[in-house]
Short mmCIF file of all heavy atoms in Angstrom, two decimals:
data_model
loop_
_atom_site.label_atom_id
_atom_site.label_comp_id
_atom_site.label_asym_id
_atom_site.label_seq_id
_atom_site.Cartn_x
_atom_site.Cartn_y
_atom_site.Cartn_z
N MET A 1 -14.88 6.96 4.42
CA MET A 1 -13.88 6.10 3.82
C MET A 1 -12.46 6.52 4.21
O MET A 1 -11.62 5.71 4.51
CB MET A 1 -14.05 6.14 2.30
CG MET A 1 -13.24 5.08 1.59
SD MET A 1 -13.72 4.98 -0.14
CE MET A 1 -12.51 3.81 -0.71
N PHE A 2 -12.21 7.82 4.23
CA PHE A 2 -10.90 8.31 4.65
C PHE A 2 -11.04 9.04 5.98
O PHE A 2 -12.04 9.72 6.20
CB PHE A 2 -10.32 9.26 3.61
CG PHE A 2 -10.11 8.59 2.27
CD1 PHE A 2 -10.93 8.91 1.21
CD2 PHE A 2 -9.11 7.63 2.11
CE1 PHE A 2 -10.74 8.29 -0.02
CE2 PHE A 2 -8.93 7.01 0.90
CZ PHE A 2 -9.76 7.34 -0.17
N ASP A 3 -10.02 8.94 6.82
CA ASP A 3 -10.15 9.59 8.12
C ASP A 3 -9.94 11.09 8.04
O ASP A 3 -10.37 11.84 8.89
CB ASP A 3 -9.21 9.01 9.18
CG ASP A 3 -8.34 7.89 8.66
OD1 ASP A 3 -7.55 8.17 7.76
OD2 ASP A 3 -8.50 6.77 9.15
N HIS A 4 -9.24 11.55 7.00
CA HIS A 4 -9.10 12.98 6.86
C HIS A 4 -9.12 13.32 5.37
O HIS A 4 -8.89 12.46 4.54
CB HIS A 4 -7.80 13.47 7.51
CG HIS A 4 -6.58 12.84 6.93
ND1 HIS A 4 -6.10 11.63 7.36
CD2 HIS A 4 -5.77 13.21 5.92
CE1 HIS A 4 -5.03 11.31 6.65
NE2 HIS A 4 -4.80 12.25 5.77
N ILE A 5 -9.41 14.56 5.07
CA ILE A 5 -9.50 14.96 3.67
C ILE A 5 -8.10 15.08 3.08
O ILE A 5 -7.24 15.76 3.63
CB ILE A 5 -10.28 16.29 3.55
CG1 ILE A 5 -11.72 16.05 3.98
CG2 ILE A 5 -10.22 16.81 2.11
CD1 ILE A 5 -12.55 17.31 4.08
N LYS A 6 -7.91 14.41 1.97
CA LYS A 6 -6.63 14.50 1.28
C LYS A 6 -6.76 15.48 0.12
O LYS A 6 -7.83 15.72 -0.40
CB LYS A 6 -6.23 13.12 0.73
CG LYS A 6 -5.92 12.10 1.80
CD LYS A 6 -5.38 10.85 1.13
CE LYS A 6 -4.97 9.81 2.14
NZ LYS A 6 -5.98 8.79 2.34
N LEU A 7 -5.60 16.02 -0.26
CA LEU A 7 -5.57 16.95 -1.37
C LEU A 7 -4.51 16.46 -2.36
O LEU A 7 -3.38 16.18 -1.98
CB LEU A 7 -5.22 18.35 -0.85
CG LEU A 7 -5.43 19.52 -1.80
CD1 LEU A 7 -6.91 19.74 -2.05
CD2 LEU A 7 -4.80 20.77 -1.21
N CYS A 8 -4.89 16.34 -3.62
CA CYS A 8 -3.92 15.89 -4.62
C CYS A 8 -2.88 16.99 -4.83
O CYS A 8 -3.22 18.14 -5.10
CB CYS A 8 -4.64 15.60 -5.93
SG CYS A 8 -3.50 15.14 -7.25
N PRO A 9 -1.58 16.65 -4.70
CA PRO A 9 -0.52 17.65 -4.88
C PRO A 9 -0.37 18.07 -6.33
O PRO A 9 0.29 19.07 -6.62
CB PRO A 9 0.73 16.93 -4.37
CG PRO A 9 0.44 15.48 -4.52
CD PRO A 9 -1.05 15.33 -4.33
N LYS A 10 -0.94 17.32 -7.25
CA LYS A 10 -0.78 17.62 -8.67
C LYS A 10 -1.88 18.55 -9.18
O LYS A 10 -1.64 19.48 -9.95
CB LYS A 10 -0.79 16.33 -9.51
CG LYS A 10 0.30 15.35 -9.15
CD LYS A 10 1.67 15.86 -9.59
CE LYS A 10 2.73 14.83 -9.24
NZ LYS A 10 4.08 15.35 -9.47
N CYS A 11 -3.13 18.25 -8.79
CA CYS A 11 -4.25 19.01 -9.38
C CYS A 11 -5.18 19.59 -8.32
O CYS A 11 -6.21 20.17 -8.64
CB CYS A 11 -5.02 18.13 -10.36
SG CYS A 11 -6.00 16.84 -9.56
N ASN A 12 -4.82 19.42 -7.03
CA ASN A 12 -5.62 19.95 -5.92
C ASN A 12 -7.02 19.35 -5.81
O ASN A 12 -7.88 19.91 -5.14
CB ASN A 12 -5.72 21.48 -5.97
CG ASN A 12 -4.38 22.13 -5.72
OD1 ASN A 12 -3.57 21.60 -4.96
ND2 ASN A 12 -4.14 23.25 -6.35
N SER A 13 -7.24 18.23 -6.46
CA SER A 13 -8.53 17.57 -6.35
C SER A 13 -8.65 16.89 -4.99
O SER A 13 -7.65 16.48 -4.39
CB SER A 13 -8.68 16.53 -7.46
OG SER A 13 -9.83 15.74 -7.24
N THR A 14 -9.87 16.78 -4.50
CA THR A 14 -10.10 16.03 -3.26
C THR A 14 -10.87 14.74 -3.55
O THR A 14 -11.38 14.11 -2.65
CB THR A 14 -10.88 16.87 -2.24
OG1 THR A 14 -12.06 17.37 -2.84
CG2 THR A 14 -10.04 18.02 -1.72
N GLU A 15 -10.97 14.40 -4.83
CA GLU A 15 -11.70 13.19 -5.20
C GLU A 15 -10.72 12.03 -5.38
O GLU A 15 -9.85 12.07 -6.25
CB GLU A 15 -12.45 13.42 -6.53
CG GLU A 15 -13.40 14.60 -6.51
CD GLU A 15 -14.60 14.32 -5.63
OE1 GLU A 15 -15.15 13.20 -5.71
OE2 GLU A 15 -14.99 15.22 -4.86
N PHE A 16 -10.87 11.02 -4.54
CA PHE A 16 -9.95 9.89 -4.61
C PHE A 16 -10.69 8.57 -4.64
O PHE A 16 -11.80 8.45 -4.13
CB PHE A 16 -9.01 9.90 -3.40
CG PHE A 16 -8.16 11.13 -3.34
CD1 PHE A 16 -8.46 12.14 -2.46
CD2 PHE A 16 -7.09 11.26 -4.20
CE1 PHE A 16 -7.69 13.29 -2.42
CE2 PHE A 16 -6.32 12.40 -4.18
CZ PHE A 16 -6.63 13.42 -3.28
N GLY A 17 -10.06 7.61 -5.25
CA GLY A 17 -10.56 6.24 -5.22
C GLY A 17 -9.45 5.34 -4.73
O GLY A 17 -8.30 5.76 -4.63
N GLU A 18 -9.82 4.10 -4.45
CA GLU A 18 -8.80 3.16 -4.02
C GLU A 18 -8.69 2.01 -5.01
O GLU A 18 -9.69 1.51 -5.52
CB GLU A 18 -9.15 2.61 -2.62
CG GLU A 18 -8.79 3.59 -1.53
CD GLU A 18 -8.62 2.90 -0.19
OE1 GLU A 18 -9.28 1.88 0.04
OE2 GLU A 18 -7.82 3.40 0.62
N GLY A 19 -7.47 1.64 -5.30
CA GLY A 19 -7.22 0.52 -6.19
C GLY A 19 -6.39 -0.52 -5.48
O GLY A 19 -5.79 -0.26 -4.44
N VAL A 20 -6.37 -1.69 -6.05
CA VAL A 20 -5.60 -2.79 -5.46
C VAL A 20 -4.68 -3.38 -6.52
O VAL A 20 -5.12 -3.66 -7.63
CB VAL A 20 -6.55 -3.89 -4.92
CG1 VAL A 20 -5.74 -5.02 -4.29
CG2 VAL A 20 -7.53 -3.32 -3.92
N LEU A 21 -3.42 -3.52 -6.18
CA LEU A 21 -2.49 -4.21 -7.06
C LEU A 21 -2.43 -5.67 -6.64
O LEU A 21 -2.15 -5.97 -5.49
CB LEU A 21 -1.09 -3.60 -6.97
CG LEU A 21 -0.92 -2.16 -7.45
CD1 LEU A 21 0.54 -1.75 -7.30
CD2 LEU A 21 -1.34 -2.03 -8.90
N MET A 22 -2.69 -6.55 -7.57
CA MET A 22 -2.72 -7.97 -7.21
C MET A 22 -1.86 -8.76 -8.18
O MET A 22 -1.27 -8.22 -9.11
CB MET A 22 -4.16 -8.47 -7.25
CG MET A 22 -5.01 -7.87 -6.15
SD MET A 22 -6.73 -8.35 -6.33
CE MET A 22 -6.67 -9.98 -5.62
N GLY A 23 -1.83 -10.05 -7.97
CA GLY A 23 -1.13 -10.94 -8.88
C GLY A 23 0.35 -10.66 -8.91
O GLY A 23 1.00 -10.66 -7.88
N HIS A 24 0.87 -10.38 -10.07
CA HIS A 24 2.31 -10.22 -10.22
C HIS A 24 2.81 -8.95 -9.55
O HIS A 24 4.00 -8.80 -9.35
CB HIS A 24 2.69 -10.21 -11.70
CG HIS A 24 2.49 -11.54 -12.34
ND1 HIS A 24 3.15 -12.68 -11.92
CD2 HIS A 24 1.68 -11.93 -13.33
CE1 HIS A 24 2.75 -13.70 -12.66
NE2 HIS A 24 1.85 -13.28 -13.53
N ALA A 25 1.91 -8.05 -9.25
CA ALA A 25 2.33 -6.81 -8.62
C ALA A 25 2.37 -6.93 -7.10
O ALA A 25 2.72 -5.98 -6.44
CB ALA A 25 1.40 -5.67 -9.02
N ALA A 26 2.01 -8.09 -6.56
CA ALA A 26 2.06 -8.25 -5.11
C ALA A 26 3.49 -8.13 -4.63
O ALA A 26 4.43 -8.62 -5.26
CB ALA A 26 1.48 -9.60 -4.71
N LEU A 27 3.67 -7.42 -3.54
CA LEU A 27 5.01 -7.22 -3.00
C LEU A 27 5.36 -8.38 -2.07
O LEU A 27 4.60 -8.69 -1.16
CB LEU A 27 5.04 -5.89 -2.24
CG LEU A 27 6.43 -5.41 -1.82
CD1 LEU A 27 7.27 -5.06 -3.03
CD2 LEU A 27 6.31 -4.21 -0.92
N MET A 28 6.50 -9.00 -2.33
CA MET A 28 6.90 -10.17 -1.56
C MET A 28 7.96 -9.78 -0.54
O MET A 28 8.85 -8.98 -0.84
CB MET A 28 7.51 -11.23 -2.49
CG MET A 28 6.60 -11.62 -3.63
SD MET A 28 5.09 -12.42 -3.09
CE MET A 28 5.72 -14.04 -2.69
N PRO A 29 7.86 -10.33 0.67
CA PRO A 29 8.94 -10.08 1.63
C PRO A 29 10.25 -10.61 1.09
O PRO A 29 10.29 -11.70 0.51
CB PRO A 29 8.49 -10.88 2.87
CG PRO A 29 7.05 -11.12 2.67
CD PRO A 29 6.82 -11.19 1.19
N LYS A 30 11.31 -9.84 1.25
CA LYS A 30 12.61 -10.21 0.71
C LYS A 30 13.15 -11.45 1.41
O LYS A 30 13.12 -11.56 2.62
CB LYS A 30 13.56 -9.03 0.92
CG LYS A 30 14.86 -9.13 0.15
CD LYS A 30 15.69 -7.90 0.45
CE LYS A 30 17.07 -8.02 -0.15
NZ LYS A 30 17.92 -6.90 0.25
N GLY A 31 13.64 -12.40 0.62
CA GLY A 31 14.31 -13.55 1.19
C GLY A 31 13.39 -14.66 1.66
O GLY A 31 13.85 -15.67 2.16
N THR A 32 12.08 -14.49 1.52
CA THR A 32 11.18 -15.56 1.92
C THR A 32 10.72 -16.32 0.70
O THR A 32 10.47 -15.74 -0.35
CB THR A 32 9.95 -15.02 2.68
OG1 THR A 32 9.33 -14.02 1.87
CG2 THR A 32 10.33 -14.44 4.01
N VAL A 33 10.63 -17.61 0.84
CA VAL A 33 10.27 -18.45 -0.30
C VAL A 33 8.83 -18.92 -0.20
O VAL A 33 8.10 -18.95 -1.18
CB VAL A 33 11.20 -19.69 -0.36
CG1 VAL A 33 10.85 -20.55 -1.56
CG2 VAL A 33 12.65 -19.24 -0.44
N PHE A 34 8.38 -19.24 0.99
CA PHE A 34 7.10 -19.91 1.13
C PHE A 34 5.92 -18.98 1.41
O PHE A 34 4.80 -19.30 1.10
CB PHE A 34 7.17 -20.96 2.25
CG PHE A 34 8.18 -22.02 1.95
CD1 PHE A 34 9.37 -22.08 2.64
CD2 PHE A 34 7.94 -22.96 0.95
CE1 PHE A 34 10.32 -23.06 2.36
CE2 PHE A 34 8.88 -23.94 0.65
CZ PHE A 34 10.08 -23.99 1.36
N SER A 35 6.21 -17.83 2.00
CA SER A 35 5.09 -16.98 2.37
C SER A 35 4.50 -16.29 1.14
O SER A 35 5.16 -16.05 0.14
CB SER A 35 5.52 -15.93 3.39
OG SER A 35 6.50 -15.10 2.83
N MET A 36 3.25 -16.00 1.22
CA MET A 36 2.57 -15.27 0.16
C MET A 36 2.91 -13.79 0.27
O MET A 36 3.19 -13.29 1.35
CB MET A 36 1.04 -15.44 0.29
CG MET A 36 0.57 -16.87 0.18
SD MET A 36 0.69 -17.48 -1.51
CE MET A 36 -0.69 -16.61 -2.24
N GLY A 37 2.84 -13.11 -0.84
CA GLY A 37 3.05 -11.67 -0.82
C GLY A 37 1.86 -10.97 -0.22
O GLY A 37 0.86 -11.58 0.12
N SER A 38 1.98 -9.69 -0.09
CA SER A 38 0.89 -8.91 0.46
C SER A 38 0.28 -8.02 -0.63
O SER A 38 0.99 -7.48 -1.45
CB SER A 38 1.42 -8.04 1.61
OG SER A 38 0.34 -7.37 2.22
N THR A 39 -1.02 -7.93 -0.61
CA THR A 39 -1.71 -7.09 -1.57
C THR A 39 -1.38 -5.63 -1.33
O THR A 39 -1.27 -5.19 -0.19
CB THR A 39 -3.24 -7.29 -1.43
OG1 THR A 39 -3.52 -8.67 -1.59
CG2 THR A 39 -3.99 -6.50 -2.49
N ILE A 40 -1.20 -4.88 -2.42
CA ILE A 40 -0.91 -3.46 -2.31
C ILE A 40 -2.17 -2.67 -2.64
O ILE A 40 -2.81 -2.91 -3.66
CB ILE A 40 0.21 -3.06 -3.29
CG1 ILE A 40 1.49 -3.87 -3.01
CG2 ILE A 40 0.48 -1.56 -3.22
CD1 ILE A 40 2.52 -3.75 -4.11
N THR A 41 -2.53 -1.77 -1.74
CA THR A 41 -3.64 -0.88 -2.05
C THR A 41 -3.08 0.50 -2.37
O THR A 41 -2.12 0.95 -1.75
CB THR A 41 -4.63 -0.76 -0.87
OG1 THR A 41 -3.94 -0.32 0.28
CG2 THR A 41 -5.30 -2.09 -0.59
N ALA A 42 -3.67 1.15 -3.34
CA ALA A 42 -3.21 2.46 -3.77
C ALA A 42 -4.37 3.45 -3.70
O ALA A 42 -5.51 3.12 -4.04
CB ALA A 42 -2.67 2.40 -5.19
N THR A 43 -4.07 4.65 -3.21
CA THR A 43 -5.05 5.72 -3.23
C THR A 43 -4.78 6.60 -4.44
O THR A 43 -3.68 7.12 -4.60
CB THR A 43 -4.97 6.55 -1.94
OG1 THR A 43 -5.15 5.69 -0.82
CG2 THR A 43 -6.05 7.63 -1.91
N VAL A 44 -5.76 6.71 -5.31
CA VAL A 44 -5.58 7.32 -6.62
C VAL A 44 -6.46 8.56 -6.76
O VAL A 44 -7.64 8.52 -6.42
CB VAL A 44 -5.95 6.30 -7.73
CG1 VAL A 44 -5.80 6.91 -9.11
CG2 VAL A 44 -5.13 5.04 -7.60
N CYS A 45 -5.87 9.63 -7.26
CA CYS A 45 -6.67 10.81 -7.60
C CYS A 45 -7.51 10.47 -8.82
O CYS A 45 -6.97 10.07 -9.85
CB CYS A 45 -5.75 11.99 -7.89
SG CYS A 45 -6.63 13.42 -8.54
N THR A 46 -8.81 10.62 -8.70
CA THR A 46 -9.68 10.23 -9.81
C THR A 46 -9.76 11.31 -10.88
O THR A 46 -10.40 11.14 -11.90
CB THR A 46 -11.10 9.88 -9.31
OG1 THR A 46 -11.61 10.98 -8.56
CG2 THR A 46 -11.07 8.64 -8.44
N ARG A 47 -9.13 12.43 -10.63
CA ARG A 47 -9.13 13.47 -11.65
C ARG A 47 -7.90 13.37 -12.58
O ARG A 47 -8.02 13.37 -13.79
CB ARG A 47 -9.18 14.86 -11.01
CG ARG A 47 -9.36 15.95 -12.06
CD ARG A 47 -9.17 17.34 -11.48
NE ARG A 47 -10.31 17.76 -10.67
CZ ARG A 47 -10.31 18.92 -9.99
NH1 ARG A 47 -9.25 19.72 -10.02
NH2 ARG A 47 -11.35 19.26 -9.27
N CYS A 48 -6.69 13.26 -11.97
CA CYS A 48 -5.49 13.26 -12.81
C CYS A 48 -4.75 11.92 -12.79
O CYS A 48 -3.84 11.72 -13.57
CB CYS A 48 -4.55 14.39 -12.38
SG CYS A 48 -3.67 14.05 -10.84
N GLY A 49 -5.15 11.02 -11.90
CA GLY A 49 -4.53 9.70 -11.89
C GLY A 49 -3.30 9.59 -11.02
O GLY A 49 -2.67 8.54 -10.95
N HIS A 50 -2.94 10.66 -10.34
CA HIS A 50 -1.77 10.62 -9.46
C HIS A 50 -2.02 9.64 -8.31
O HIS A 50 -3.09 9.64 -7.70
CB HIS A 50 -1.52 12.03 -8.92
CG HIS A 50 -0.35 12.11 -7.99
ND1 HIS A 50 0.94 11.94 -8.43
CD2 HIS A 50 -0.28 12.32 -6.64
CE1 HIS A 50 1.76 12.06 -7.39
NE2 HIS A 50 1.05 12.28 -6.31
N ILE A 51 -1.01 8.82 -8.02
CA ILE A 51 -1.13 7.90 -6.88
C ILE A 51 -0.58 8.59 -5.65
O ILE A 51 0.59 8.95 -5.60
CB ILE A 51 -0.39 6.58 -7.15
CG1 ILE A 51 -1.06 5.84 -8.31
CG2 ILE A 51 -0.38 5.71 -5.90
CD1 ILE A 51 -0.34 4.57 -8.73
N LEU A 52 -1.44 8.78 -4.67
CA LEU A 52 -1.02 9.49 -3.47
C LEU A 52 -0.24 8.61 -2.52
O LEU A 52 0.72 9.04 -1.91
CB LEU A 52 -2.25 10.04 -2.73
CG LEU A 52 -2.48 11.51 -3.06
CD1 LEU A 52 -3.27 11.63 -4.33
CD2 LEU A 52 -3.13 12.20 -1.90
N GLU A 53 -0.71 7.39 -2.37
CA GLU A 53 0.03 6.51 -1.48
C GLU A 53 -0.23 5.07 -1.84
O GLU A 53 -1.25 4.71 -2.41
CB GLU A 53 -0.34 6.78 -0.02
CG GLU A 53 -1.81 6.58 0.29
CD GLU A 53 -2.12 6.83 1.75
OE1 GLU A 53 -1.30 7.44 2.44
OE2 GLU A 53 -3.18 6.39 2.20
N MET A 54 0.75 4.26 -1.51
CA MET A 54 0.61 2.82 -1.68
C MET A 54 0.91 2.16 -0.36
O MET A 54 1.83 2.55 0.35
CB MET A 54 1.59 2.33 -2.76
CG MET A 54 1.19 2.80 -4.15
SD MET A 54 2.41 2.33 -5.36
CE MET A 54 1.82 0.71 -5.78
N LYS A 55 0.09 1.17 -0.03
CA LYS A 55 0.28 0.47 1.23
C LYS A 55 0.13 -1.01 1.01
O LYS A 55 -0.69 -1.44 0.20
CB LYS A 55 -0.84 0.88 2.22
CG LYS A 55 -0.65 2.20 2.89
CD LYS A 55 -1.81 2.42 3.84
CE LYS A 55 -1.83 3.84 4.35
NZ LYS A 55 -3.10 4.14 5.03
N VAL A 56 0.90 -1.79 1.75
CA VAL A 56 0.65 -3.22 1.76
C VAL A 56 -0.40 -3.51 2.82
O VAL A 56 -0.49 -2.80 3.83
CB VAL A 56 1.92 -4.06 2.02
CG1 VAL A 56 2.89 -3.92 0.86
CG2 VAL A 56 2.56 -3.70 3.33
N LYS A 57 -1.20 -4.53 2.56
CA LYS A 57 -2.29 -4.84 3.47
C LYS A 57 -1.80 -5.46 4.76
O LYS A 57 -2.41 -5.29 5.80
CB LYS A 57 -3.28 -5.80 2.78
CG LYS A 57 -4.67 -5.21 2.67
CD LYS A 57 -5.62 -6.18 1.99
CE LYS A 57 -7.01 -5.56 1.93
NZ LYS A 57 -7.94 -6.39 1.17
N GLU A 58 -0.73 -6.24 4.66
CA GLU A 58 -0.25 -6.95 5.84
C GLU A 58 1.22 -6.64 6.09
O GLU A 58 2.09 -7.45 5.78
CB GLU A 58 -0.46 -8.45 5.66
CG GLU A 58 -1.93 -8.82 5.59
CD GLU A 58 -2.14 -10.00 4.66
OE1 GLU A 58 -2.00 -9.86 3.45
OE2 GLU A 58 -2.43 -11.08 5.19
N PRO A 59 1.50 -5.46 6.64
CA PRO A 59 2.89 -5.04 6.82
C PRO A 59 3.67 -5.96 7.75
O PRO A 59 4.91 -6.03 7.67
CB PRO A 59 2.77 -3.63 7.42
CG PRO A 59 1.40 -3.54 7.95
CD PRO A 59 0.55 -4.45 7.09
N GLN A 60 2.97 -6.69 8.60
CA GLN A 60 3.68 -7.59 9.53
C GLN A 60 4.42 -8.70 8.79
O GLN A 60 5.34 -9.31 9.32
CB GLN A 60 2.71 -8.17 10.58
CG GLN A 60 1.65 -9.11 10.04
CD GLN A 60 0.43 -8.38 9.50
OE1 GLN A 60 0.42 -7.17 9.36
NE2 GLN A 60 -0.62 -9.14 9.19
N LYS A 61 4.02 -8.95 7.54
CA LYS A 61 4.72 -9.96 6.73
C LYS A 61 6.14 -9.53 6.41
O LYS A 61 6.96 -10.36 6.03
CB LYS A 61 3.98 -10.17 5.42
CG LYS A 61 2.77 -11.07 5.55
CD LYS A 61 2.20 -11.36 4.19
CE LYS A 61 1.04 -12.35 4.29
NZ LYS A 61 0.40 -12.55 2.99
N PHE A 62 6.42 -8.25 6.54
CA PHE A 62 7.73 -7.74 6.14
C PHE A 62 8.68 -7.55 7.31
O PHE A 62 9.78 -7.04 7.15
CB PHE A 62 7.54 -6.43 5.36
CG PHE A 62 6.78 -6.67 4.08
CD1 PHE A 62 5.40 -6.64 4.07
CD2 PHE A 62 7.46 -6.97 2.91
CE1 PHE A 62 4.69 -6.90 2.91
CE2 PHE A 62 6.75 -7.22 1.74
CZ PHE A 62 5.38 -7.19 1.74
N ILE A 63 8.24 -7.94 8.49
CA ILE A 63 9.13 -7.89 9.64
C ILE A 63 10.19 -8.98 9.46
O ILE A 63 9.86 -10.14 9.25
CB ILE A 63 8.34 -8.13 10.96
CG1 ILE A 63 7.26 -7.07 11.13
CG2 ILE A 63 9.30 -8.16 12.14
CD1 ILE A 63 6.28 -7.36 12.27
N PRO A 64 11.46 -8.61 9.54
CA PRO A 64 12.52 -9.61 9.39
C PRO A 64 12.41 -10.69 10.45
O PRO A 64 12.03 -10.41 11.59
CB PRO A 64 13.81 -8.79 9.56
CG PRO A 64 13.42 -7.39 9.27
CD PRO A 64 11.99 -7.26 9.70
N LYS A 65 12.75 -11.90 10.10
CA LYS A 65 12.57 -13.05 10.99
C LYS A 65 13.28 -12.89 12.32
O LYS A 65 12.74 -13.23 13.36
CB LYS A 65 13.06 -14.32 10.31
CG LYS A 65 11.93 -15.07 9.63
CD LYS A 65 12.38 -16.39 9.09
CE LYS A 65 11.23 -17.04 8.32
NZ LYS A 65 11.68 -18.04 7.38
N HIS A 66 14.51 -12.35 12.29
CA HIS A 66 15.25 -12.25 13.54
C HIS A 66 14.59 -11.27 14.53
O HIS A 66 14.77 -11.37 15.72
CB HIS A 66 16.71 -11.86 13.30
CG HIS A 66 16.88 -10.54 12.65
ND1 HIS A 66 16.80 -10.35 11.28
CD2 HIS A 66 17.11 -9.31 13.16
CE1 HIS A 66 16.98 -9.07 11.01
NE2 HIS A 66 17.17 -8.43 12.12
N LYS A 67 13.80 -10.33 14.00
CA LYS A 67 13.10 -9.41 14.90
C LYS A 67 11.85 -10.04 15.49
O LYS A 67 11.43 -9.73 16.59
CB LYS A 67 12.74 -8.12 14.15
CG LYS A 67 13.94 -7.24 13.96
CD LYS A 67 13.53 -5.84 13.55
CE LYS A 67 14.75 -4.96 13.38
NZ LYS A 67 14.43 -3.69 12.73
N LYS A 68 11.20 -10.91 14.72
CA LYS A 68 9.99 -11.59 15.20
C LYS A 68 10.27 -12.44 16.43
O LYS A 68 9.43 -12.63 17.27
CB LYS A 68 9.46 -12.52 14.10
CG LYS A 68 8.45 -11.86 13.20
CD LYS A 68 7.91 -12.88 12.22
CE LYS A 68 7.27 -12.18 11.04
NZ LYS A 68 6.94 -13.14 9.97
N GLN A 69 11.49 -13.00 16.51
CA GLN A 69 11.80 -13.93 17.58
C GLN A 69 12.14 -13.23 18.88
O GLN A 69 12.24 -13.86 19.91
CB GLN A 69 12.97 -14.85 17.16
CG GLN A 69 12.50 -15.86 16.11
CD GLN A 69 13.67 -16.49 15.37
OE1 GLN A 69 14.81 -16.11 15.57
NE2 GLN A 69 13.38 -17.44 14.51
N LEU A 70 12.35 -11.94 18.86
CA LEU A 70 12.70 -11.22 20.08
C LEU A 70 11.51 -11.12 21.01
O LEU A 70 10.39 -10.99 20.56
CB LEU A 70 13.22 -9.81 19.74
CG LEU A 70 14.59 -9.77 19.06
CD1 LEU A 70 14.94 -8.35 18.69
CD2 LEU A 70 15.67 -10.36 19.95
ZN1 LIG B 101 -4.94 14.90 -9.06
#
């Protein structure tokens, strides 16, 4: 599931799960009206609950328009 072993900086656990933030927690590209937001996935320490990282599923949605046209 993970390409390398992660270590929780809070409790040194190596047990992690993945969660998804959806609905109102979806991150929307700034200044866009019509596009849908991107789902956020979070890697969570299953021992202490610390969130190690958060990622959007479709980072290309956040490329500013003027850069896309280049
Ligand atoms: Zn932890």
Side-chain angles (χ1 to χ4, degrees):
M1 191 169 174
F2 299 109
D3 0 63
H4 59 275
I5 294 173
K6 293 187 177 99
L7 193 69
C8 176
K10 301 289 182 188
C11 72
N12 293 328
S13 171
T14 53
E15 303 290 317
F16 299 103
E18 281 202 330
V20 181
L21 295 181
M22 292 174 80
H24 292 299
L27 190 67
M28 305 296 284
K30 193 179 173 186
T32 54
V33 181
F34 298 108
S35 62
M36 299 288 286
S38 185
T39 304
I40 301 167
T41 57
T43 303
V44 179
C45 172
T46 54
R47 187 190 285 176
C48 74
H50 180 69
I51 295 175
L52 262 85
E53 59 179 17
M54 290 175 87
K55 281 182 191 167
V56 293
K57 240 180 179 174
E58 294 147 290
Q60 66 276 10
K61 281 187 176 175
F62 297 87
I63 300 170
K65 265 187 185 159
H66 61 276
K67 284 195 179 168
K68 269 184 199 170
Q69 287 163 355
L70 290 176

